[in-house]
Amino acid sequence: QVQLVESGGGLVQAGGSLRLSCAASGRTFSTYAMGWFRQAPGKERVFVARITWSDGSTYYADSVKGRFIISRDNARKTVTLQMNSLKPEDTAVYYCAAATTASSYNYWGQGTQVTVSS
């Protein structure tokens, strides 16, 4: 099992920045990559960004490319999502997830609320 705990959500004005963190514990050696997803009210959960533990390669959704940066600290087993130039449409619950294969996210955090006011 892998446990994930997110932190860092909150309320920010449009144009501002927030940093989300995700701490992983347990059988983290079984994970291939870490990802961030978000779910806005009344909408489905969607992919935001991903980073692999091994070489730090990253992948972003088009909606956040150039504004969000995902990074990882292998020693601390933490993943950070730096969110810049936030827009009201970024408002959502953000979830950290751990993937055991290139396409399978098996473990999820409890989520953290991000609200961007206009």
Side-chain angles (χ1 to χ4, degrees):
Q1 292 291 326
V2 176
Q3 294 78 43
L4 304 173
V5 178
E6 302 104 332
S7 61
L11 173 65
V12 65
Q13 288 188 332
S17 299
L18 277 176
R19 176 176 293 185
L20 305 182
S21 292
C22 175
S25 61
R27 298 171 62 88
T28 57
F29 59 86
S30 67
T31 57
Y32 165 78
M34 298 292 291
W36 286 96
F37 292 74
R38 67 187 183 187
Q39 186 168 18
K43 296 187 177 180
E44 295 185 350
R45 188 178 302 184
V46 296
F47 169 80
V48 174
R50 185 203 75 186
I51 188 166
T52 58
W53 285 118
S54 58
D55 62 2
S57 60
T58 59
Y59 185 75
Y60 297 91
D62 288 343
S63 58
V64 305
K65 202 172 294 183
R67 300 188 298 123
F68 290 12
I69 301 172
I70 187 170
S71 60
R72 94 271 193 236
D73 183 328
N74 285 36
R76 292 188 171 90
K77 289 302 179 187
T78 58
V79 176
T80 299
L81 185 68
Q82 177 67 42
M83 306 185 293
N84 302 317
S85 302
L86 283 162
K87 305 174 181 179
E89 51 264 43
D90 294 319
T91 295
V93 177
Y94 283 71
Y95 296 90
C96 174
T100 54
T101 69
S103 59
S104 178
Y105 289 89
N106 301 97
Y107 303 99
W108 295 84
Q110 79 285 357
T112 185
Q113 177 70 47
V114 171
T115 303
V116 184
S117 62
S118 57

